[in-house]
PDB file of all heavy atoms in Angstrom:
ATOM      1  N   LYS A 324      14.377 -40.527  43.355  1.00 92.00           N
ATOM      2  CA  LYS A 324      14.866 -41.697  42.623  1.00 92.00           C
ATOM      3  C   LYS A 324      16.390 -41.809  42.729  1.00 92.00           C
ATOM      4  O   LYS A 324      16.941 -42.910  42.874  1.00 92.00           O
ATOM      5  CB  LYS A 324      14.451 -41.609  41.158  1.00 92.00           C
ATOM      6  CG  LYS A 324      12.970 -41.872  40.934  1.00 92.00           C
ATOM      7  CD  LYS A 324      12.619 -41.825  39.456  1.00 92.00           C
ATOM      8  CE  LYS A 324      11.126 -42.102  39.259  1.00 92.00           C
ATOM      9  NZ  LYS A 324      10.750 -42.024  37.832  1.00 92.00           N
ATOM     10  N   THR A 325      17.040 -40.638  42.623  1.00 89.00           N
ATOM     11  CA  THR A 325      18.506 -40.634  42.755  1.00 89.00           C
ATOM     12  C   THR A 325      18.903 -41.095  44.152  1.00 89.00           C
ATOM     13  O   THR A 325      19.865 -41.869  44.311  1.00 89.00           O
ATOM     14  CB  THR A 325      19.066 -39.222  42.482  1.00 89.00           C
ATOM     15  OG1 THR A 325      18.620 -38.775  41.200  1.00 89.00           O
ATOM     16  CG2 THR A 325      20.587 -39.225  42.493  1.00 89.00           C
ATOM     17  N   GLU A 326      18.173 -40.611  45.166  1.00 88.00           N
ATOM     18  CA  GLU A 326      18.443 -41.041  46.551  1.00 88.00           C
ATOM     19  C   GLU A 326      18.192 -42.538  46.706  1.00 88.00           C
ATOM     20  O   GLU A 326      18.954 -43.230  47.397  1.00 88.00           O
ATOM     21  CB  GLU A 326      17.571 -40.260  47.532  1.00 88.00           C
ATOM     22  CG  GLU A 326      18.021 -38.819  47.706  1.00 88.00           C
ATOM     23  CD  GLU A 326      17.064 -38.002  48.559  1.00 88.00           C
ATOM     24  OE1 GLU A 326      15.904 -38.412  48.705  1.00 88.00           O
ATOM     25  OE2 GLU A 326      17.490 -36.954  49.067  1.00 88.00           O
ATOM     26  N   GLU A 327      17.135 -43.023  46.030  1.00 91.00           N
ATOM     27  CA  GLU A 327      16.871 -44.466  46.081  1.00 91.00           C
ATOM     28  C   GLU A 327      18.009 -45.227  45.408  1.00 91.00           C
ATOM     29  O   GLU A 327      18.494 -46.244  45.949  1.00 91.00           O
ATOM     30  CB  GLU A 327      15.545 -44.782  45.390  1.00 91.00           C
ATOM     31  CG  GLU A 327      14.314 -44.324  46.182  1.00 91.00           C
ATOM     32  CD  GLU A 327      13.024 -44.530  45.410  1.00 91.00           C
ATOM     33  OE1 GLU A 327      13.103 -45.017  44.250  1.00 91.00           O
ATOM     34  OE2 GLU A 327      11.941 -44.207  45.948  1.00 91.00           O
ATOM     35  N   ARG A 328      18.431 -44.703  44.210  1.00 88.00           N
ATOM     36  CA  ARG A 328      19.563 -45.353  43.535  1.00 88.00           C
ATOM     37  C   ARG A 328      20.823 -45.282  44.386  1.00 88.00           C
ATOM     38  O   ARG A 328      21.571 -46.260  44.486  1.00 88.00           O
ATOM     39  CB  ARG A 328      19.809 -44.684  42.171  1.00 88.00           C
ATOM     40  CG  ARG A 328      18.781 -44.998  41.111  1.00 88.00           C
ATOM     41  CD  ARG A 328      19.297 -44.699  39.713  1.00 88.00           C
ATOM     42  NE  ARG A 328      19.745 -43.334  39.572  1.00 88.00           N
ATOM     43  CZ  ARG A 328      18.962 -42.322  39.232  1.00 88.00           C
ATOM     44  NH1 ARG A 328      17.670 -42.543  39.012  1.00 88.00           N
ATOM     45  NH2 ARG A 328      19.443 -41.102  39.111  1.00 88.00           N
ATOM     46  N   LEU A 329      21.034 -44.086  45.000  1.00 84.00           N
ATOM     47  CA  LEU A 329      22.218 -43.912  45.850  1.00 84.00           C
ATOM     48  C   LEU A 329      22.166 -44.870  47.036  1.00 84.00           C
ATOM     49  O   LEU A 329      23.194 -45.468  47.407  1.00 84.00           O
ATOM     50  CB  LEU A 329      22.287 -42.463  46.337  1.00 84.00           C
ATOM     51  CG  LEU A 329      23.503 -42.104  47.202  1.00 84.00           C
ATOM     52  CD1 LEU A 329      24.797 -42.309  46.414  1.00 84.00           C
ATOM     53  CD2 LEU A 329      23.422 -40.650  47.676  1.00 84.00           C
ATOM     54  N   SER A 330      20.949 -45.002  47.605  1.00 90.00           N
ATOM     55  CA  SER A 330      20.793 -45.936  48.712  1.00 90.00           C
ATOM     56  C   SER A 330      21.113 -47.357  48.264  1.00 90.00           C
ATOM     57  O   SER A 330      21.830 -48.101  48.968  1.00 90.00           O
ATOM     58  CB  SER A 330      19.359 -45.859  49.250  1.00 90.00           C
ATOM     59  OG  SER A 330      19.159 -46.805  50.261  1.00 90.00           O
ATOM     60  N   ASP A 331      20.601 -47.711  47.064  1.00 89.00           N
ATOM     61  CA  ASP A 331      20.896 -49.052  46.540  1.00 89.00           C
ATOM     62  C   ASP A 331      22.389 -49.203  46.259  1.00 89.00           C
ATOM     63  O   ASP A 331      22.985 -50.262  46.551  1.00 89.00           O
ATOM     64  CB  ASP A 331      20.093 -49.288  45.249  1.00 89.00           C
ATOM     65  CG  ASP A 331      18.599 -49.374  45.507  1.00 89.00           C
ATOM     66  OD1 ASP A 331      18.219 -49.673  46.662  1.00 89.00           O
ATOM     67  OD2 ASP A 331      17.810 -49.144  44.558  1.00 89.00           O
ATOM     68  N   LEU A 332      22.981 -48.108  45.689  1.00 84.00           N
ATOM     69  CA  LEU A 332      24.436 -48.151  45.413  1.00 84.00           C
ATOM     70  C   LEU A 332      25.235 -48.281  46.707  1.00 84.00           C
ATOM     71  O   LEU A 332      26.235 -49.023  46.766  1.00 84.00           O
ATOM     72  CB  LEU A 332      24.861 -46.890  44.655  1.00 84.00           C
ATOM     73  CG  LEU A 332      24.366 -46.783  43.204  1.00 84.00           C
ATOM     74  CD1 LEU A 332      24.636 -45.388  42.656  1.00 84.00           C
ATOM     75  CD2 LEU A 332      25.014 -47.832  42.314  1.00 84.00           C
ATOM     76  N   LYS A 333      24.795 -47.551  47.735  1.00 86.00           N
ATOM     77  CA  LYS A 333      25.494 -47.639  49.032  1.00 86.00           C
ATOM     78  C   LYS A 333      25.322 -49.028  49.627  1.00 86.00           C
ATOM     79  O   LYS A 333      26.249 -49.554  50.268  1.00 86.00           O
ATOM     80  CB  LYS A 333      24.950 -46.580  49.986  1.00 86.00           C
ATOM     81  CG  LYS A 333      25.450 -45.182  49.671  1.00 86.00           C
ATOM     82  CD  LYS A 333      24.969 -44.163  50.681  1.00 86.00           C
ATOM     83  CE  LYS A 333      25.560 -42.788  50.401  1.00 86.00           C
ATOM     84  NZ  LYS A 333      25.102 -41.781  51.384  1.00 86.00           N
ATOM     85  N   LYS A 334      24.124 -49.592  49.399  1.00 88.00           N
ATOM     86  CA  LYS A 334      23.936 -50.972  49.850  1.00 88.00           C
ATOM     87  C   LYS A 334      24.887 -51.891  49.114  1.00 88.00           C
ATOM     88  O   LYS A 334      25.496 -52.796  49.710  1.00 88.00           O
ATOM     89  CB  LYS A 334      22.484 -51.410  49.615  1.00 88.00           C
ATOM     90  CG  LYS A 334      21.493 -50.798  50.584  1.00 88.00           C
ATOM     91  CD  LYS A 334      20.085 -51.253  50.269  1.00 88.00           C
ATOM     92  CE  LYS A 334      19.077 -50.567  51.197  1.00 88.00           C
ATOM     93  NZ  LYS A 334      17.678 -50.958  50.863  1.00 88.00           N
ATOM     94  N   ASP A 335      25.014 -51.619  47.766  1.00 86.00           N
ATOM     95  CA  ASP A 335      25.968 -52.419  46.980  1.00 86.00           C
ATOM     96  C   ASP A 335      27.382 -52.205  47.491  1.00 86.00           C
ATOM     97  O   ASP A 335      28.183 -53.161  47.588  1.00 86.00           O
ATOM     98  CB  ASP A 335      25.890 -52.038  45.497  1.00 86.00           C
ATOM     99  CG  ASP A 335      24.567 -52.452  44.874  1.00 86.00           C
ATOM    100  OD1 ASP A 335      23.884 -53.311  45.464  1.00 86.00           O
ATOM    101  OD2 ASP A 335      24.214 -51.902  43.806  1.00 86.00           O
ATOM    102  N   LEU A 336      27.693 -50.927  47.836  1.00 84.00           N
ATOM    103  CA  LEU A 336      29.035 -50.629  48.376  1.00 84.00           C
ATOM    104  C   LEU A 336      29.220 -51.312  49.720  1.00 84.00           C
ATOM    105  O   LEU A 336      30.312 -51.854  50.007  1.00 84.00           O
ATOM    106  CB  LEU A 336      29.212 -49.115  48.513  1.00 84.00           C
ATOM    107  CG  LEU A 336      30.606 -48.656  48.964  1.00 84.00           C
ATOM    108  CD1 LEU A 336      31.677 -49.085  47.942  1.00 84.00           C
ATOM    109  CD2 LEU A 336      30.629 -47.130  49.134  1.00 84.00           C
ATOM    110  N   ASP A 337      28.157 -51.281  50.541  1.00 87.00           N
ATOM    111  CA  ASP A 337      28.225 -51.992  51.825  1.00 87.00           C
ATOM    112  C   ASP A 337      28.459 -53.478  51.598  1.00 87.00           C
ATOM    113  O   ASP A 337      29.236 -54.121  52.341  1.00 87.00           O
ATOM    114  CB  ASP A 337      26.921 -51.788  52.613  1.00 87.00           C
ATOM    115  CG  ASP A 337      26.781 -50.368  53.134  1.00 87.00           C
ATOM    116  OD1 ASP A 337      27.814 -49.662  53.198  1.00 87.00           O
ATOM    117  OD2 ASP A 337      25.656 -49.965  53.461  1.00 87.00           O
ATOM    118  N   GLU A 338      27.758 -54.000  50.537  1.00 85.00           N
ATOM    119  CA  GLU A 338      27.968 -55.408  50.199  1.00 85.00           C
ATOM    120  C   GLU A 338      29.426 -55.650  49.791  1.00 85.00           C
ATOM    121  O   GLU A 338      30.019 -56.666  50.164  1.00 85.00           O
ATOM    122  CB  GLU A 338      27.019 -55.810  49.061  1.00 85.00           C
ATOM    123  CG  GLU A 338      25.547 -55.882  49.459  1.00 85.00           C
ATOM    124  CD  GLU A 338      25.281 -57.013  50.428  1.00 85.00           C
ATOM    125  OE1 GLU A 338      25.959 -58.053  50.322  1.00 85.00           O
ATOM    126  OE2 GLU A 338      24.397 -56.858  51.297  1.00 85.00           O
TER     127      GLU A 338
END
Side-chain angles (χ1 to χ4, degrees):
K324 287 182 180 178
T325 305
E326 287 174 340
E327 288 174 359
R328 287 199 304 272
L329 182 61
S330 176
D331 292 338
L332 290 170
K333 284 184 176 180
K334 286 179 183 178
D335 292 342
L336 184 61
D337 289 341
E338 290 293 327

